[in-house]
Every structure is written in structure tokens, then in C-alpha cells.
Amino acid sequence: MSLINTQVKPFKATAYHNGKFIDLSEESLKGKWSVFVFYPADFTFVCPTELEDLADNYAEFQKLGVEVYGISTDTHFAHKAWHDTSDAIKKVNYPLIGDPTGLLSRNFQVMIEEEGLALRGTFVINPEGFIKVMEVHDNGIGRDASELLRKLKAAQYVASHPGEVCPAKWSEGAATLTPSLDLVGKI
């Protein structure tokens, strides 16, 4: 079953954020767009490149009213230690959520049970707490923050323009489509 258009399930978690430990829940997401970026583990290889790319683009996410959350099955203590020792992770100003029980990873269907690690899963969540974009892939394939921003902008556009849809390769300011009987067979 797809998670698209389903509501984020209840959770409680602790994150490392800007030198502090903070408590989060599904209620923390309400009222703003959120991006959940699951990754396998701290102190690894592809993960810091992705989190650094998100950090380099974090201001753009913030301009769009979006909070980014990095999530792995490590603890919030491990996130702090990684932040304190990695030049790439020192750039991260968004919350890094600890999921040592795997509840969030299971709720978002990214848990690799036999390894106790998460797959690389990306989820865009609207201000009402519903999942609008989901992408899950093999842990050997890193993600690109600019592509995530494009998808996020498309999700926000569609949400604020009922009846319109964004075609392939859509970018902000480009033409959209309005599905109708007159459009059938003309694309």
C-alpha cells in the first residue's frame, strides 16, 4: 500500500538541533511543509554527502516555509557526536532525529529489518500532515537536494492551484496543465 496521501502516524522522537536535544512528534509538523530524509547511519559514506547537500540548500527550503528533518536509526546522542566531528555534518542546521526503536522507519516503510537500518527514503509532508511525495531507493544511490526542491515546489504549487498539475520537468514559473476533456489526446 502506498503512503501517498496518508497521514503521518503518531510518533515521539528526540532530535539534535542547533546544539540542543529537542522533542518532536507528528504535532510538530502541523502548519508547515516538512521533508523527512531517512538515511542508513551516521559515520558512513554517502549519508554525509546528502546531508551536506541539504545543508547547502537549507536556506532555500526555509524560504519556502519548509523544515527539513534528517532521520536515521542512530540515537540523538550519535547525531551530536557526528555533528561535532564531521566537517560536512557541522553545516547541518536542521534537526537530526534519532530513531533507535525504528518506529519512524517502520511507519514510513523504509526499515531494513535484518540490518536495523533505514533505506534512503524522502517524504514531503503538507501542513495538514499528509504525505505528498515519496521516493525510496537503494542505499548505494545518493540524492540531490535540487531535485527535491523541484518536487517540493511542484507539490506546493498543486496544493495552492486546485485543478492544475505539473508536467514532467516542470520548474517554478513554467506552464502547468489543467486536465480536461479538451486536453485528452493533445499532449
Side-chain angles (χ1 to χ4, degrees):
M1 178 177 100
S2 175
L3 293 176
I4 295 296
N5 292 319
T6 64
Q7 196 154 27
V8 173
K9 293 179 182 177
F11 72 91
K12 289 183 181 181
T14 303
Y16 178 71
H17 185 224
N18 290 333
K20 297 179 183 174
F21 295 130
I22 61 169
D23 293 324
L24 297 170
S25 73
E26 74 284 356
E27 292 300 316
S28 306
L29 310 179
K30 299 289 174 84
K32 64 182 174 221
W33 287 84
S34 302
V35 173
F36 273 18
V37 178
F38 287 88
Y39 62 95
D42 294 353
F43 299 99
T44 56
F45 314 102
V46 175
C47 301
T49 67
E50 292 183 314
L51 297 181
E52 181 179 29
D53 185 33
L54 285 166
D56 290 344
N57 287 277
Y58 187 54
E60 183 68 21
F61 285 97
Q62 293 283 277
K63 281 187 216 169
L64 297 170
V66 178
E67 185 56 83
V68 175
Y69 299 89
I71 307 165
S72 75
T73 55
D74 299 290
T75 67
H76 54 287
F77 300 112
H79 292 332
K80 182 196 181 310
W82 196 28
H83 188 274
D84 291 349
T85 58
S86 166
D87 289 338
I89 302 307
K90 282 179 186 168
K91 294 180 176 182
V92 172
N93 291 320
Y94 51 86
L96 294 176
I97 299 175
D99 184 30
T101 67
L103 175 68
L104 274 169
S105 298
R106 287 183 187 91
N107 285 353
F108 282 82
Q109 300 176 3
V110 296
M111 177 61 93
I112 306 168
E113 292 294 341
E114 57 276 6
E115 296 179 28
L117 302 173
L119 289 166
R120 293 191 194 287
T122 308
F123 300 85
V124 173
I125 303 161
N126 76 6
E128 292 77 38
F130 288 88
I131 299 168
K132 292 300 181 177
V133 173
M134 121 180 216
E135 179 180 34
V136 180
H137 52 89
D138 183 79
N139 281 337
I141 304 167
R143 293 164 282 193
D144 183 325
S146 63
E147 175 58 13
L148 176 56
L149 277 164
R150 188 195 71 80
K151 290 176 187 178
L152 175 64
K153 289 175 183 178
Q156 288 181 330
Y157 185 91
V158 168
S160 64
H161 295 85
E164 293 183 48
V165 296
C166 296
K169 297 185 181 184
W170 178 87
S171 61
E172 191 172 26
T176 59
L177 300 172
T178 303
S180 69
L181 183 60
D182 295 335
L183 196 59
V184 174
K186 295 185 178 160
I187 299 176

